[in-house]
């Protein structure tokens, strides 16, 4: 970070008075300073324009749509449609349909279990890889990280073959030892999805944790050992507290990811009848828009999902921050 | 006794980035300074003391079990791709076919429906390649502006972009489709490409990084020598920001390559599909037409193998880059 004494390229504060002062004078006074003033806007313009088009407008539009009711007149809407302000009607419909609320509950359950399993798994693997007892840590790390490079949809297609009876060698092997497994039934399919997500992202989270572990100075290990701490004690009392920031971050990202669950259940729909059109909140929004042609409700659902993601991650960060202080 | 390695030439500049990140962001970013120092060193942070053999065996056993879990699906696809449709259902899934026909299967994948699969692959390359390069350049320019210039609205723009990082991509896909269909951009290459050009995370990272890595004194000197602002950015700043740019590029490439919802809602014409979307349409047809089993499995293999090779080749960057970005964000 530069010290305050170092001149910054731009001038602090806006205002045009005294435009030629500062470093601008060195090469030609006012013209130079205005070039410095213009430059960031020229550089930012393309990004800002696209940001408005691809981010701000859709969000504003979605919020607008979520408050708009479209009334179809005539038996099949053939007499045209009229749209107008609908207040919270779309939100009422979205929350009144039990399916949507159930889907929120489903992904929350999914999140609590899957994120926990995945983070624990990633942490254990990272600690083992970084322990002195691990052989070939580099090779193992690469293998664990590999699934991250495979798109979620492709991973789901891949696993779908391993879930389907008749094709799946896993079902075959289980059957040979007398186990009847059904990966795609109403009670199991949620965990089959959890398995796909864990498979895809555990290695990535492991890598983040490894990076944090590597940043722990060797002297700390030294000191712990001098104090007589064994490897388990070092992991629990030294390594885990120090990788906490990485763990928190991984958890927050995973929570946001869980709420958005879409591709996996959508692809698995073709092999499992247990996955309804409203299985996850995003699937429900997609269904409202493209199967029911009700963009208002779909927009309301999208807004609710985004809000939930904000609230949950905020809540989680606030909770952990409070624990930090006490 | 092995300890964390001393900072190398490369890590020194990134060390500054970490320091700034800490100063600027506070909170989750703390303790990131040393992370880049280690990619070249496998033993950093390890305790270095020889353990009893039983511990080694136990630890290795756990690691092997985990490796099997992560590799089995990929192995299965390799095995299955050598089989005929009949063999898929009659032979063991874990061993290769007695009469392998890998190349016949791959040939079928590539020629089916006039080579539509190759077209999907090329589309994926186009979306993620062009999209990620342009997105990185735009993010670099915007991040550099926010990091290096002080002007009215700087804080506001930064705040809004930061909010963009938190908005789920799935929340914008639907309204984007509705908006784009009104201006005729839905169901075109542009419909997928334009949203891919925006990386708020990239701007966020480039802003932090430019503050730390672009030397203000050199920028000043260049100004005195009469270099224009745009020239300073293109010649000086882009080079200084290279490590951050690699991170943004990798992230954005993966993000676009993996994107499913956006092309799904945006595209109706299958000739515009990326490989992910194309393969799901094949997967959806297997119940009616069993030959799609082989096509889908072959297609998955063809699209996974380059990615796996890429992951291994780019390992060094992943380690230094991806995690850096993730820990920072």
């Amino acid at each position: 970070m530069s010290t305050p004494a170092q001149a910054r390229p731009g001038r602090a504060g806006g205002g045009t008075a005294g435009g030629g002062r500062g470093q601008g004078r060195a090469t030609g006074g006012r013209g130079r300073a205005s070039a410095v003033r213009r430059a960031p806007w020229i550089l930012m313009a393309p990004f800002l324009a696209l940001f408005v088009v691809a981010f701000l407008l859709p969000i504003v539009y979605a919020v607008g749509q979520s408050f708009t009711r479209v009334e179809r007149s005539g038996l099949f809407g053939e007499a045209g449609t009229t749209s107008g302000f609908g207040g919270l009607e779309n939100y009422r419909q979205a929350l009144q349909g039990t399916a949507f609320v159930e889907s929120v509950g489903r992904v929350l359950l999914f999140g609590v279990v899957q994120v926990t399993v995945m983070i624990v798994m990633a942490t254990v693997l990272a600690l083992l890889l970084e322990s002195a007892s691990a052989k070939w840590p580099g090779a193992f790390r690469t293998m664990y990280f590999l699934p991250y490079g495979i798109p979620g949809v492709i991973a789901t297609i891949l696993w779908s073959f391993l879930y389907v009876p008749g094709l799946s060698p896993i079902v075959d092997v289980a059957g040979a030892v007398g186990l009847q497994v059904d990966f795609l039934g109403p009670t199991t399919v949620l965990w089959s999805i959890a398995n796909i997500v864990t498979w895809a992202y555990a290695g990535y989270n492991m890598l983040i944790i490894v990076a944090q572990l590597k940043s722990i100075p060797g002297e700390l290990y030294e000191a712990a050992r001098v104090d007589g701490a064994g490897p388990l004690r070092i992991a629990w009392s030294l390594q885990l507290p120090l990788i906490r920031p990485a763990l928190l971050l991984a958890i927050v990202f995973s929570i946001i990811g869980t709420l958005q669950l879409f591709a996996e259940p959508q692809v698995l729909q073709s092999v499992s009848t247990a996955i309804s059109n409203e299985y996850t909140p995003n699937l429900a929004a997609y269904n409202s828009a493209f199967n029911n042609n009700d963009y208002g409700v779909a927009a309301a659902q999208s807004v609710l999902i985004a809000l939930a993601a904000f609230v949950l991650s905020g809540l989680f960060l606030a909770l952990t921050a409070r624990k930090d202080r006490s | 006794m092995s300890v964390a390695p001393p900072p190398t030439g490369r890590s020194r500049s990134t060390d500054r980035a970490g320091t700034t990140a800490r100063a600027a962001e506070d909170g989750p970013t703390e303790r990131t300074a040393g992370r880049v120092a280690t990619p070249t060193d496998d033993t950093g942070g390890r305790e270095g003391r020889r353990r009893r053999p039983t511990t080694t065996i136990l630890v290795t056993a756990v690691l092997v079990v985990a490796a099997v879990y992560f590799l089995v699906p990929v192995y299965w696809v390799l095995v299955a791709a050598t089989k005929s449709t009949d063999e898929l259902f009659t032979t063991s899934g874990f061993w290769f076919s007695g009469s392998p026909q890998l190349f016949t299967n791959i040939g079928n994948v590539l020629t089916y429906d006039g080579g539509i699969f190759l077209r999907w692959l090329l589309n994926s390359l186009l979306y993620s390649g062009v999209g990620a390069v342009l997105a990185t350049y735009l993010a670099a320019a915007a991040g550099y502006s926010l990091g290096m210039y002080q002007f009215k609205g700087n804080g506001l723009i930064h705040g809004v972009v930061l909010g963009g990082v938190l908005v789920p991509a799935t929340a914008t896909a639907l309204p984007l489709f509705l908006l784009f269909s009104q201006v005729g951009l839905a169901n075109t290459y542009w419909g997928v490409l334009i949203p891919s050009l925006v990386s708020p995370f990239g701007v966020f990272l480039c802003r932090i990084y430019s503050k730390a890595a672009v030397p203000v004194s050199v920028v000043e000197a260049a100004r005195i020598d009469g270099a224009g602002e745009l020239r300073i950015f293109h010649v000086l700043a882009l080079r200084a920001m290279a490590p951050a740019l690699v991170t943004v590029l990798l992230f954005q490439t993966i993000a676009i390559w993996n994107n499913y919802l956006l092309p799904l809602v945006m595209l109706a014409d299958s000739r515009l599909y990326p490989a992910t979307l194309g393969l799901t349409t094949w997967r959806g047809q297997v119940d009616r037409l069993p030959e799609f089993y082989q096509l889908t499995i072959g297609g998955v293999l063809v699209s996974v193998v380059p990615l796996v090779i890429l992951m291994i080749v780019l390992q060094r960057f992943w380690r230094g880059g991806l995690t850096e970005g993730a820990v920072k964000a």
Side-chain angles (χ1 to χ4, degrees):
Chain A
M1 195 67 214
S2 63
T3 60
Q6 269 177 294
R8 303 295 283 151
R11 293 168 302 112
T16 47
R21 273 195 300 135
Q23 74 280 358
R25 176 172 292 165
T27 50
R30 194 165 279 274
R32 183 72 237 194
S34 73
V36 172
R37 226 174 12 251
R38 270 199 317 270
W41 294 103
I42 295 171
L43 284 169
M44 277 188 306
F47 173 83
L48 287 182
L50 286 166
F51 185 77
V52 168
V53 168
F55 261 89
L56 293 187
L57 275 182
I59 291 168
V60 170
Y61 185 79
V63 172
Q65 284 278 314
S66 73
F67 291 109
T68 305
R69 280 309 296 169
V70 176
E71 302 294 346
R72 293 185 171 78
S73 33
L75 196 54
F76 302 103
E78 74 280 357
T81 57
T82 52
S83 59
F85 182 72
L88 292 171
E89 175 61 20
N90 289 322
Y91 288 92
R92 198 184 59 79
Q93 273 201 19
L95 292 171
Q96 202 180 38
T98 48
F100 183 72
V101 178
E102 273 172 24
S103 75
V104 174
R106 191 174 291 123
V107 291
L108 285 182
L109 173 69
F110 177 99
V112 168
V113 175
Q114 189 269 329
V115 174
T116 309
V117 169
M118 178 175 71
I119 297 294
V120 167
M121 189 169 156
T123 310
V124 168
L125 288 178
L127 287 173
L128 287 182
L129 282 178
E130 289 298 297
S131 78
S133 306
K135 282 196 179 303
W136 318 291
F140 279 122
R141 202 170 40 211
T142 307
M143 288 182 221
Y144 301 165
F145 185 48
L146 217 61
Y148 182 68
I150 299 172
V153 177
I154 307 279
T156 308
I157 294 176
L158 197 44
W159 276 100
S160 75
F161 290 128
L162 296 173
Y163 289 156
V164 174
L167 194 58
S168 165
I170 300 170
V171 175
D172 287 350
V173 170
V177 297
L179 276 174
Q180 288 295 320
V181 287
D182 177 10
F183 289 115
L184 302 166
T187 53
T188 49
V189 73
L190 187 66
W191 310 116
S192 299
I193 297 171
N195 171 55
I196 298 174
V197 177
T198 306
W199 180 78
Y201 292 103
Y204 170 69
N205 287 303
M206 173 213 68
L207 212 64
I208 293 174
I209 297 166
V210 165
Q212 289 269 296
L213 283 175
K214 281 184 184 300
S215 70
I216 298 175
E219 302 88 65
L220 288 183
Y221 289 107
E222 185 75 18
R225 267 193 297 271
V226 169
D227 289 347
L232 287 180
R233 182 71 206 264
I234 288 178
W236 186 255
S237 305
L238 175 72
Q239 290 172 309
L240 277 183
L242 286 177
I243 58 174
R244 223 173 134 254
L247 289 180
L248 286 184
L249 204 73
I251 291 172
V252 169
F253 277 146
S254 303
I255 291 172
I256 298 179
T258 301
L259 272 171
Q260 296 188 68
L261 207 59
F262 176 79
E264 289 83 0
Q266 204 258 356
V267 172
L268 282 183
Q269 262 191 325
S270 65
V271 291
S272 172
T273 49
I275 299 176
S276 66
N277 275 337
E278 289 102 4
Y279 199 70
T280 70
N282 252 324
L283 211 52
Y286 178 80
N287 183 54
S288 303
F290 291 97
N291 292 336
N292 303 342
N293 283 320
D294 199 335
Y295 295 122
V297 171
Q301 288 167 330
S302 296
V303 170
L304 288 172
I305 296 165
L307 280 180
F310 269 123
V311 169
L312 270 186
S313 350
L315 210 67
F316 188 79
L317 285 176
L319 273 177
T320 49
R322 210 178 62 196
K323 215 175 143 203
D324 263 353
R325 273 198 300 275
S326 60
Chain B
M1 188 66 45
S2 82
V3 296
T8 59
R10 182 179 163 232
S11 72
R12 203 166 300 136
S13 65
T14 42
D15 199 32
R16 291 179 60 201
T19 315
T20 315
R22 206 174 336 170
E25 306 311 325
D26 211 19
T29 50
E30 62 182 312
R31 294 202 34 77
T32 57
R35 79 221 163 272
V36 207
T38 45
T40 50
D41 184 41
D42 270 344
T43 56
R46 301 176 66 197
E47 289 134 84
R49 196 168 58 182
R50 281 262 63 100
R51 303 235 169 271
R52 282 167 316 186
T54 44
T55 316
T56 306
I57 291 168
L58 211 67
V59 167
T60 310
V62 174
L63 292 179
V64 168
V65 169
V68 168
Y69 169 65
F70 286 112
L71 293 183
V72 151
V74 179
Y75 169 76
W76 179 85
V77 128
L78 194 65
V79 168
T82 65
K83 295 180 177 177
S84 68
T85 308
D86 276 348
E87 286 174 314
L88 264 185
F89 292 92
T90 53
T91 59
S92 162
F94 285 131
W95 196 242
F96 293 90
S97 159
S99 50
Q101 49 169 26
L102 177 65
F103 294 105
T104 322
N105 287 339
I106 302 285
N108 289 341
V109 170
L110 297 181
T111 53
Y112 180 80
D113 197 9
I116 188 84
F117 183 74
L118 266 182
R119 195 178 162 124
W120 289 341
L121 277 184
L122 288 177
N123 286 343
S124 273
L125 272 179
L126 176 85
Y127 291 131
S128 55
V130 174
V133 168
L134 285 177
T136 306
Y137 173 76
L138 295 178
Y144 170 80
S145 303
L146 290 172
M148 298 295 284
Y149 295 92
Q150 274 149 23
F151 54 87
K152 230 182 207 162
N154 187 324
L156 177 71
I157 291 174
H158 177 233
V160 172
V161 171
L162 202 59
V165 176
L166 296 175
V167 173
T170 52
T172 54
L174 211 73
L176 257 178
F177 164 72
L178 298 175
L179 280 174
F180 277 16
S181 54
Q182 282 170 18
V183 290
L185 282 174
N187 198 24
T188 66
Y189 278 114
W190 296 109
V192 175
L193 208 48
I194 290 177
S196 306
L197 297 180
V198 185
S199 168
F201 164 75
V203 174
F204 172 69
L205 190 62
C206 287
R207 175 182 157 275
I208 293 174
Y209 204 87
S210 65
K211 270 183 162 181
V214 180
V216 175
S217 54
V218 178
V219 171
E220 287 301 313
R223 274 204 188 106
I224 290 166
D225 287 345
E229 296 298 315
L230 296 184
R231 197 177 142 78
I232 291 174
F233 167 68
H234 286 106
V235 178
L236 259 173
L238 278 186
R239 189 165 307 165
M241 290 160 69
L245 299 187
V246 171
T247 305
V248 177
L249 189 73
L250 289 178
F251 252 120
Q252 194 66 3
T253 308
I254 285 259
I256 303 173
W257 190 278
N258 288 359
N259 200 347
Y260 175 65
L261 182 58
L262 182 69
L264 178 71
V265 299
M266 198 63 84
L267 303 174
D269 182 353
S270 67
R271 285 171 307 163
L272 303 180
Y273 283 3
T276 47
L277 191 51
L279 278 175
T280 54
T281 61
W282 278 4
R283 178 69 182 92
Q285 296 183 54
V286 296
D287 285 337
R288 274 169 290 135
L289 306 160
E291 72 256 35
F292 273 99
Y293 271 115
Q294 268 320 332
L295 288 174
T296 313
I297 290 169
V300 167
L301 182 71
V302 171
S303 52
V304 160
V305 164
L307 292 175
V308 166
I309 293 173
L310 208 68
M311 295 295 280
I312 294 171
V313 171
L314 291 180
Q315 252 208 89
R316 178 179 303 271
F317 289 108
W318 289 118
R319 265 188 260 162
L322 258 191
T323 52
E324 174 185 351
V327 172
K328 241 176 206 161

